[in-house]
Amino acid sequence: MSTQQSEATGLRTLTFGQSINRGLRAALAEDDKVLVMGEDVGTLGGVFRITDGLQKEFGAQRVLDSPLAESGIVGTAVGLAYRGFRPVVEIQFDGFVYPAFDQIVSQVAKLRYRTRGHVAMPLTIRIPFGGGIGSPEHHSESPEAYFAHTAGLRVVSPSNPQDAYTMIRQSIACDDPVIFFEPKRRYHEKAEVDLEAEADLPLGAARVVVPGDQVTLIAYGPLVKTAIDAATAAADEGVSVEVIDVRSLSPVDFGPLEASVRKTGRVVITHEAGQFAGLGAELAASLTERCFYHLEQPPVRVTGFDIPYPPSKLEQHHLPDLDRILDGVDSVLERTSSLNGAAAGPSAARQGGDA
Protein backbone atom coordinates (compact mmCIF):
# COMPACT_ATOMS: atom_id res chain seq x y z
CA MET A 1 0.00 0.00 0.00
CA SER A 2 1.36 3.41 -0.95
CA THR A 3 2.00 6.12 1.64
CA GLN A 4 -0.80 8.20 0.08
CA GLN A 5 -3.24 5.31 0.45
CA SER A 6 -2.10 4.75 4.03
CA GLU A 7 -2.69 8.39 4.95
CA ALA A 8 -6.15 8.19 3.37
CA THR A 9 -7.17 5.11 5.34
CA GLY A 10 -5.64 6.15 8.67
CA LEU A 11 -3.01 3.40 8.55
CA ARG A 12 0.35 4.18 10.12
CA THR A 13 3.41 2.11 10.94
CA LEU A 14 3.87 2.84 14.65
CA THR A 15 5.75 1.41 17.56
CA PHE A 16 3.83 0.14 20.57
CA GLY A 17 4.84 3.26 22.50
CA GLN A 18 3.87 5.61 19.69
CA SER A 19 0.47 3.89 19.49
CA ILE A 20 -0.24 4.71 23.14
CA ASN A 21 0.90 8.28 22.51
CA ARG A 22 -1.55 8.53 19.59
CA GLY A 23 -4.33 7.11 21.73
CA LEU A 24 -3.66 9.64 24.50
CA ARG A 25 -3.51 12.47 21.98
CA ALA A 26 -6.86 11.45 20.46
CA ALA A 27 -8.50 11.24 23.89
CA LEU A 28 -7.13 14.65 24.92
CA ALA A 29 -8.38 16.18 21.67
CA GLU A 30 -11.86 14.68 21.95
CA ASP A 31 -12.63 15.49 25.59
CA ASP A 32 -11.50 18.54 27.61
CA LYS A 33 -12.08 16.52 30.79
CA VAL A 34 -9.17 14.16 29.96
CA LEU A 35 -5.97 15.00 31.86
CA VAL A 36 -2.56 13.30 31.86
CA MET A 37 -0.59 13.31 35.12
CA GLY A 38 2.66 11.85 36.37
CA GLU A 39 6.33 12.30 37.07
CA ASP A 40 8.10 13.92 34.08
CA VAL A 41 5.19 13.32 31.70
CA GLY A 42 5.15 16.95 30.54
CA THR A 43 8.43 18.61 29.58
CA LEU A 44 10.35 15.33 29.31
CA GLY A 45 7.53 13.33 27.73
CA GLY A 46 7.83 10.48 30.24
CA VAL A 47 10.74 8.21 31.06
CA PHE A 48 9.81 6.07 28.01
CA ARG A 49 8.66 9.14 26.00
CA ILE A 50 5.11 7.80 25.83
CA THR A 51 3.67 11.28 26.50
CA ASP A 52 6.15 13.03 24.21
CA GLY A 53 4.77 16.28 22.77
CA LEU A 54 1.44 16.16 24.61
CA GLN A 55 2.15 19.05 27.00
CA LYS A 56 3.32 21.24 24.12
CA GLU A 57 0.11 20.48 22.22
CA PHE A 58 -2.42 20.60 25.07
CA GLY A 59 -0.73 22.79 27.68
CA ALA A 60 0.54 22.34 31.22
CA GLN A 61 -2.98 22.55 32.66
CA ARG A 62 -3.93 19.26 30.96
CA VAL A 63 -0.58 17.41 30.87
CA LEU A 64 0.75 17.91 34.37
CA ASP A 65 4.19 17.20 35.80
CA SER A 66 3.67 15.99 39.35
CA PRO A 67 5.90 15.66 42.42
CA LEU A 68 7.66 12.32 43.03
CA ALA A 69 4.82 11.02 45.18
CA GLU A 70 2.77 8.17 43.69
CA SER A 71 0.22 8.14 46.51
CA GLY A 72 -0.32 11.87 46.04
CA ILE A 73 -0.65 11.49 42.26
CA VAL A 74 -3.32 8.81 42.51
CA GLY A 75 -5.06 10.55 45.42
CA THR A 76 -5.26 13.77 43.41
CA ALA A 77 -6.60 11.82 40.42
CA VAL A 78 -9.31 10.31 42.62
CA GLY A 79 -10.50 13.81 43.53
CA LEU A 80 -10.43 14.89 39.90
CA ALA A 81 -12.40 11.81 38.80
CA TYR A 82 -14.88 12.49 41.60
CA ARG A 83 -15.44 15.96 40.08
CA GLY A 84 -16.04 14.67 36.56
CA PHE A 85 -12.56 14.65 35.02
CA ARG A 86 -11.00 11.64 33.31
CA PRO A 87 -7.42 11.58 34.60
CA VAL A 88 -4.78 9.31 33.12
CA VAL A 89 -1.97 8.63 35.59
CA GLU A 90 1.47 7.35 34.61
CA ILE A 91 3.44 5.31 37.12
CA GLN A 92 7.06 5.39 35.89
CA PHE A 93 7.84 1.74 36.66
CA ASP A 94 5.88 -1.25 37.94
CA GLY A 95 7.76 -1.43 41.23
CA PHE A 96 7.00 2.23 41.99
CA VAL A 97 3.25 1.65 42.20
CA TYR A 98 3.35 0.28 45.74
CA PRO A 99 3.35 3.70 47.51
CA ALA A 100 0.02 4.27 45.71
CA PHE A 101 -1.30 0.77 46.45
CA ASP A 102 -3.41 1.95 49.42
CA GLN A 103 -5.05 4.69 47.37
CA ILE A 104 -5.82 2.21 44.56
CA VAL A 105 -7.25 -0.68 46.57
CA SER A 106 -8.87 1.37 49.36
CA GLN A 107 -10.28 4.31 47.38
CA VAL A 108 -10.09 3.85 43.59
CA ALA A 109 -11.50 0.32 43.61
CA LYS A 110 -14.32 0.97 46.06
CA LEU A 111 -15.82 4.40 45.37
CA ARG A 112 -18.41 3.28 42.79
CA TYR A 113 -19.53 0.42 45.03
CA ARG A 114 -19.44 2.59 48.16
CA THR A 115 -21.71 5.18 46.53
CA ARG A 116 -24.01 2.53 45.01
CA GLY A 117 -22.98 3.65 41.52
CA HIS A 118 -23.73 7.35 42.06
CA VAL A 119 -20.05 8.26 41.63
CA ALA A 120 -18.16 7.06 38.57
CA MET A 121 -14.40 6.57 38.79
CA PRO A 122 -13.11 7.10 35.21
CA LEU A 123 -9.45 6.89 36.18
CA THR A 124 -6.82 5.13 34.06
CA ILE A 125 -3.55 4.15 35.74
CA ARG A 126 -0.82 3.31 33.20
CA ILE A 127 1.93 1.04 34.50
CA PRO A 128 4.92 -0.09 32.38
CA PHE A 129 5.49 -3.65 33.61
CA GLY A 130 7.53 -6.79 33.11
CA GLY A 131 11.19 -7.48 32.33
CA GLY A 132 13.39 -7.91 29.31
CA ILE A 133 15.02 -4.45 29.24
CA GLY A 134 18.03 -5.19 31.45
CA SER A 135 16.80 -3.40 34.56
CA PRO A 136 16.84 -4.64 38.15
CA GLU A 137 14.08 -5.08 40.72
CA HIS A 138 11.45 -2.29 40.98
CA HIS A 139 11.92 -1.71 37.22
CA SER A 140 10.94 -5.15 35.85
CA GLU A 141 8.24 -6.52 38.10
CA SER A 142 4.87 -8.09 37.28
CA PRO A 143 2.42 -6.97 39.99
CA GLU A 144 -0.78 -7.66 38.01
CA ALA A 145 -2.12 -10.33 40.40
CA TYR A 146 -2.38 -7.80 43.26
CA PHE A 147 -4.76 -5.67 41.22
CA ALA A 148 -6.64 -8.51 39.49
CA HIS A 149 -7.45 -9.79 42.99
CA THR A 150 -9.05 -6.46 43.96
CA ALA A 151 -12.76 -6.23 43.13
CA GLY A 152 -13.77 -2.94 41.57
CA LEU A 153 -10.75 -2.59 39.28
CA ARG A 154 -10.53 -3.44 35.61
CA VAL A 155 -7.07 -4.77 34.76
CA VAL A 156 -5.97 -4.96 31.12
CA SER A 157 -2.77 -5.44 29.14
CA PRO A 158 -2.41 -4.93 25.36
CA SER A 159 0.12 -7.03 23.47
CA ASN A 160 0.44 -5.24 20.11
CA PRO A 161 0.40 -1.68 18.74
CA GLN A 162 -3.18 -1.82 17.41
CA ASP A 163 -4.54 -2.97 20.77
CA ALA A 164 -2.32 -0.41 22.54
CA TYR A 165 -4.03 2.35 20.56
CA THR A 166 -7.60 1.11 20.86
CA MET A 167 -7.43 -0.20 24.43
CA ILE A 168 -5.98 3.01 25.91
CA ARG A 169 -8.85 4.93 24.32
CA GLN A 170 -11.39 2.39 25.60
CA SER A 171 -9.85 2.58 29.08
CA ILE A 172 -10.07 6.37 29.20
CA ALA A 173 -13.70 6.25 28.01
CA CYS A 174 -14.62 3.66 30.68
CA ASP A 175 -16.46 4.85 33.80
CA ASP A 176 -14.69 2.17 35.88
CA PRO A 177 -11.09 2.54 37.07
CA VAL A 178 -8.67 0.73 34.77
CA ILE A 179 -5.17 -0.52 35.56
CA PHE A 180 -3.44 -0.43 32.17
CA PHE A 181 -0.33 -2.63 32.15
CA GLU A 182 2.06 -1.80 29.30
CA PRO A 183 4.69 -4.45 28.39
CA LYS A 184 7.70 -2.16 28.33
CA ARG A 185 9.91 -4.57 26.37
CA ARG A 186 7.47 -4.25 23.46
CA TYR A 187 7.53 -0.41 23.39
CA HIS A 188 9.78 -0.27 20.31
CA GLU A 189 8.15 -3.01 18.24
CA LYS A 190 6.38 -1.77 15.13
CA ALA A 191 3.22 -2.72 13.32
CA GLU A 192 0.63 -1.15 11.07
CA VAL A 193 -2.04 0.62 13.13
CA ASP A 194 -5.39 1.85 11.82
CA LEU A 195 -6.04 5.08 13.71
CA GLU A 196 -9.57 5.39 12.33
CA ALA A 197 -10.80 1.85 12.87
CA GLU A 198 -13.48 1.14 15.42
CA ALA A 199 -12.33 -1.27 18.12
CA ASP A 200 -13.10 -4.80 16.94
CA LEU A 201 -13.48 -6.11 20.52
CA PRO A 202 -14.78 -4.69 23.81
CA LEU A 203 -12.20 -3.76 26.43
CA GLY A 204 -12.81 -6.95 28.41
CA ALA A 205 -12.65 -9.47 25.56
CA ALA A 206 -10.04 -12.18 24.93
CA ARG A 207 -8.81 -12.92 21.40
CA VAL A 208 -7.68 -16.06 19.58
CA VAL A 209 -4.52 -14.86 17.80
CA VAL A 210 -3.37 -18.22 16.37
CA PRO A 211 -5.94 -20.96 15.67
CA GLY A 212 -5.08 -24.56 16.51
CA ASP A 213 -6.61 -27.79 17.74
CA GLN A 214 -4.12 -29.77 19.84
CA VAL A 215 -2.96 -27.45 22.64
CA THR A 216 -4.39 -24.20 24.06
CA LEU A 217 -1.62 -21.72 24.92
CA ILE A 218 -2.81 -18.76 27.03
CA ALA A 219 -0.74 -15.58 27.42
CA TYR A 220 -1.06 -11.83 27.87
CA GLY A 221 1.03 -8.68 27.50
CA PRO A 222 4.73 -9.26 26.83
CA LEU A 223 4.50 -13.02 26.35
CA VAL A 224 1.87 -13.07 23.60
CA LYS A 225 4.57 -12.55 20.96
CA THR A 226 6.68 -15.33 22.50
CA ALA A 227 3.61 -17.59 22.54
CA ILE A 228 2.98 -16.90 18.84
CA ASP A 229 6.62 -17.75 18.10
CA ALA A 230 6.19 -20.98 20.10
CA ALA A 231 3.09 -21.90 18.08
CA THR A 232 5.05 -21.34 14.86
CA ALA A 233 7.92 -23.52 16.10
CA ALA A 234 5.49 -26.22 17.24
CA ALA A 235 3.82 -26.19 13.82
CA ASP A 236 7.19 -27.02 12.27
CA GLU A 237 7.05 -30.24 14.32
CA GLY A 238 3.48 -30.96 13.26
CA VAL A 239 1.84 -29.75 16.51
CA SER A 240 -1.16 -27.42 16.24
CA VAL A 241 -1.18 -24.84 19.06
CA GLU A 242 -4.00 -22.33 19.57
CA VAL A 243 -2.75 -19.08 21.14
CA ILE A 244 -5.18 -16.91 23.10
CA ASP A 245 -4.37 -13.35 24.21
CA VAL A 246 -6.32 -12.83 27.45
CA ARG A 247 -6.14 -8.98 27.06
CA SER A 248 -8.36 -8.41 30.11
CA LEU A 249 -6.87 -9.86 33.30
CA SER A 250 -9.89 -8.82 35.36
CA PRO A 251 -12.56 -9.56 34.50
CA VAL A 252 -11.40 -12.53 32.40
CA ASP A 253 -13.38 -13.35 29.27
CA PHE A 254 -13.60 -17.11 29.82
CA GLY A 255 -15.75 -17.83 26.74
CA PRO A 256 -12.92 -18.13 24.18
CA LEU A 257 -10.70 -19.91 26.73
CA GLU A 258 -13.36 -22.52 27.53
CA ALA A 259 -14.18 -23.09 23.87
CA SER A 260 -10.52 -23.69 23.09
CA VAL A 261 -9.87 -26.02 26.02
CA ARG A 262 -13.00 -28.06 25.22
CA LYS A 263 -11.56 -28.45 21.69
CA THR A 264 -7.93 -29.25 22.54
CA GLY A 265 -8.18 -30.88 25.98
CA ARG A 266 -4.73 -29.54 26.83
CA VAL A 267 -3.77 -26.14 28.19
CA VAL A 268 -0.52 -24.26 28.88
CA ILE A 269 -0.60 -20.86 30.63
CA THR A 270 2.39 -18.55 30.58
CA HIS A 271 3.24 -15.25 32.29
CA GLU A 272 6.32 -13.47 33.61
CA ALA A 273 5.07 -13.14 37.19
CA GLY A 274 5.90 -15.79 39.76
CA GLN A 275 3.85 -18.95 39.75
CA PHE A 276 2.48 -19.05 43.32
CA ALA A 277 -0.92 -17.30 43.49
CA GLY A 278 -0.29 -15.73 40.09
CA LEU A 279 -2.93 -15.18 37.42
CA GLY A 280 -2.04 -18.57 35.93
CA ALA A 281 -3.20 -20.26 39.12
CA GLU A 282 -6.64 -18.65 38.81
CA LEU A 283 -6.90 -19.49 35.10
CA ALA A 284 -5.84 -23.10 35.68
CA ALA A 285 -8.29 -23.57 38.55
CA SER A 286 -11.21 -21.92 36.75
CA LEU A 287 -10.64 -23.84 33.52
CA THR A 288 -10.36 -27.09 35.45
CA GLU A 289 -13.70 -26.37 37.14
CA ARG A 290 -15.37 -25.39 33.88
CA CYS A 291 -13.80 -27.98 31.52
CA PHE A 292 -12.80 -30.87 33.82
CA TYR A 293 -14.33 -33.64 31.72
CA HIS A 294 -12.70 -32.28 28.54
CA LEU A 295 -9.16 -32.13 29.92
CA GLU A 296 -6.72 -34.83 28.81
CA GLN A 297 -3.94 -33.54 31.10
CA PRO A 298 -3.73 -31.15 34.08
CA PRO A 299 -2.97 -27.55 33.01
CA VAL A 300 0.70 -26.57 32.96
CA ARG A 301 1.99 -23.12 34.01
CA VAL A 302 5.18 -21.68 32.47
CA THR A 303 6.05 -18.67 34.62
CA GLY A 304 8.75 -16.65 36.30
CA PHE A 305 10.26 -18.14 39.43
CA ASP A 306 9.03 -17.28 42.93
CA ILE A 307 11.95 -14.99 43.69
CA PRO A 308 12.55 -11.24 43.80
CA TYR A 309 13.30 -10.06 40.27
CA PRO A 310 16.90 -11.12 39.54
CA PRO A 311 19.88 -9.00 38.42
CA SER A 312 19.69 -8.07 34.75
CA LYS A 313 22.39 -10.55 33.70
CA LEU A 314 20.21 -13.40 35.00
CA GLU A 315 16.79 -12.30 33.79
CA GLN A 316 16.97 -14.44 30.64
CA HIS A 317 16.91 -17.48 32.94
CA HIS A 318 13.95 -16.12 34.92
CA LEU A 319 11.64 -15.07 32.11
CA PRO A 320 9.70 -17.75 30.21
CA ASP A 321 11.22 -18.11 26.76
CA LEU A 322 10.47 -20.06 23.61
CA ASP A 323 12.16 -23.25 24.86
CA ARG A 324 10.39 -23.29 28.23
CA ILE A 325 6.99 -22.68 26.62
CA LEU A 326 7.61 -25.44 24.05
CA ASP A 327 8.61 -27.72 26.91
CA GLY A 328 5.24 -26.97 28.51
CA VAL A 329 3.57 -27.91 25.23
CA ASP A 330 5.58 -31.17 25.14
CA SER A 331 4.53 -31.85 28.71
CA VAL A 332 0.76 -31.65 28.13
CA LEU A 333 1.20 -33.73 24.97
CA GLU A 334 2.98 -36.39 27.07
CA ARG A 335 6.13 -36.06 24.99
CA THR A 336 9.66 -36.38 26.34
CA SER A 337 10.90 -33.05 27.69
CA SER A 338 12.93 -31.21 25.09
CA LEU A 339 14.81 -29.39 27.90
CA ASN A 340 15.97 -32.19 30.14
CA GLY A 341 14.86 -35.44 28.54
CA ALA A 342 12.57 -36.21 31.48
CA ALA A 343 9.66 -38.59 31.15
CA ALA A 344 6.40 -37.24 29.76
CA GLY A 345 3.70 -35.53 31.84
CA PRO A 346 3.10 -32.23 33.64
CA SER A 347 4.69 -33.42 36.87
CA ALA A 348 7.96 -34.21 35.12
CA ALA A 349 8.91 -30.66 34.19
CA ARG A 350 9.37 -27.60 36.38
CA GLN A 351 8.05 -24.58 34.51
CA GLY A 352 8.40 -21.97 37.21
CA GLY A 353 7.70 -21.71 40.91
CA ASP A 354 10.58 -22.07 43.34
CA ALA A 355 14.02 -21.38 41.94
Side-chain angles (χ1 to χ4, degrees):
M1 179 175 287
S2 69
T3 302
Q4 187 174 8
Q5 286 175 312
S6 296
E7 293 289 335
T9 59
L11 291 175
R12 304 286 191 282
T13 298
L14 299 174
T15 67
F16 193 105
Q18 289 170 336
S19 299
I20 298 174
N21 178 283
R22 290 298 189 104
L24 292 170
R25 177 178 284 119
L28 284 160
E30 290 171 357
D31 187 349
D32 290 343
K33 294 293 187 181
V34 175
L35 307 174
V36 174
M37 304 168 57
E39 300 160 5
D40 298 324
V41 299
T43 304
L44 182 66
V47 67
F48 293 106
R49 305 298 187 268
I50 303 302
T51 55
D52 189 36
L54 298 182
Q55 188 181 73
K56 184 176 182 180
E57 185 171 351
F58 296 98
Q61 298 297 311
R62 297 189 62 200
V63 182
L64 298 88
D65 280 319
S66 68
L68 303 180
E70 286 78 8
S71 181
I73 298 168
V74 175
T76 301
V78 168
L80 287 165
Y82 207 97
R83 296 302 297 266
F85 289 90
R86 292 185 176 275
V88 183
V89 167
E90 176 180 295
I91 303 294
Q92 279 197 340
F93 285 93
D94 32 55
F96 298 171
V97 73
Y98 303 121
F101 191 75
D102 176 54
Q103 287 283 0
I104 296 172
V105 301
S106 298
Q107 310 300 336
V108 174
K110 294 180 172 61
L111 272 168
R112 288 204 81 179
Y113 184 81
R114 188 181 297 156
T115 61
R116 298 183 180 180
H118 291 292
V119 173
M121 191 48 51
L123 166 58
T124 302
I125 301 176
R126 297 179 37 241
I127 305 177
F129 86 122
I133 64 168
S135 286
E137 61 180 7
H138 305 315
H139 298 75
S140 300
E141 297 179 1
S142 299
E144 60 269 25
Y146 296 127
F147 301 100
H149 181 71
T150 302
L153 298 175
R154 288 178 177 265
V155 183
V156 303
S157 183
S159 67
N160 59 75
Q162 183 70 61
D163 272 356
Y165 175 73
T166 57
M167 288 173 68
I168 190 65
R169 297 188 66 187
Q170 290 174 314
S171 298
I172 296 169
C174 183
D175 283 339
D176 293 325
V178 179
I179 309 296
F180 192 87
F181 279 110
E182 302 169 4
K184 65 172 84 73
R185 67 160 136 158
R186 305 300 182 197
Y187 272 150
H188 298 292
E189 294 182 358
K190 294 182 179 180
E192 198 168 64
V193 177
D194 190 342
L195 300 177
E196 297 178 359
E198 295 292 329
D200 61 344
L201 290 174
L203 183 61
R207 186 202 309 273
V208 176
V209 291
V210 178
D213 57 22
Q214 288 183 271
V215 177
T216 300
L217 176 56
I218 300 171
Y220 56 84
L223 284 186
V224 172
K225 183 177 185 299
T226 313
I228 294 171
D229 291 343
T232 301
D236 291 340
E237 297 181 357
V239 177
S240 176
V241 175
E242 180 154 283
V243 178
I244 300 182
D245 181 357
V246 177
R247 298 175 79 248
S248 175
L249 285 53
S250 180
V252 173
D253 179 15
F254 276 104
L257 277 63
E258 284 185 50
S260 182
V261 173
R262 290 174 190 275
K263 175 174 60 178
T264 66
R266 294 174 169 85
V267 58
V268 177
I269 304 159
T270 186
H271 54 63
E272 291 188 8
Q275 185 174 103
F276 182 78
L279 195 70
E282 176 59 36
L283 293 174
S286 293
L287 289 172
T288 299
E289 290 174 348
R290 295 162 186 250
C291 308
F292 181 79
Y293 293 105
H294 297 269
L295 285 170
E296 301 290 341
Q297 288 285 325
V300 162
R301 290 169 286 165
V302 183
T303 69
F305 295 100
D306 293 325
I307 57 173
Y309 199 84
S312 57
K313 289 184 178 179
L314 298 176
E315 69 176 353
Q316 73 272 23
H317 302 293
H318 173 72
L319 298 172
D321 60 9
L322 184 69
D323 289 338
R324 284 178 60 197
I325 293 174
L326 286 173
D327 190 59
V329 171
D330 286 341
S331 182
V332 295
L333 286 171
E334 303 178 78
R335 303 190 338 169
T336 300
S337 170
S338 56
L339 288 181
N340 56 26
S347 62
R350 290 202 63 79
Q351 302 294 337
D354 298 337

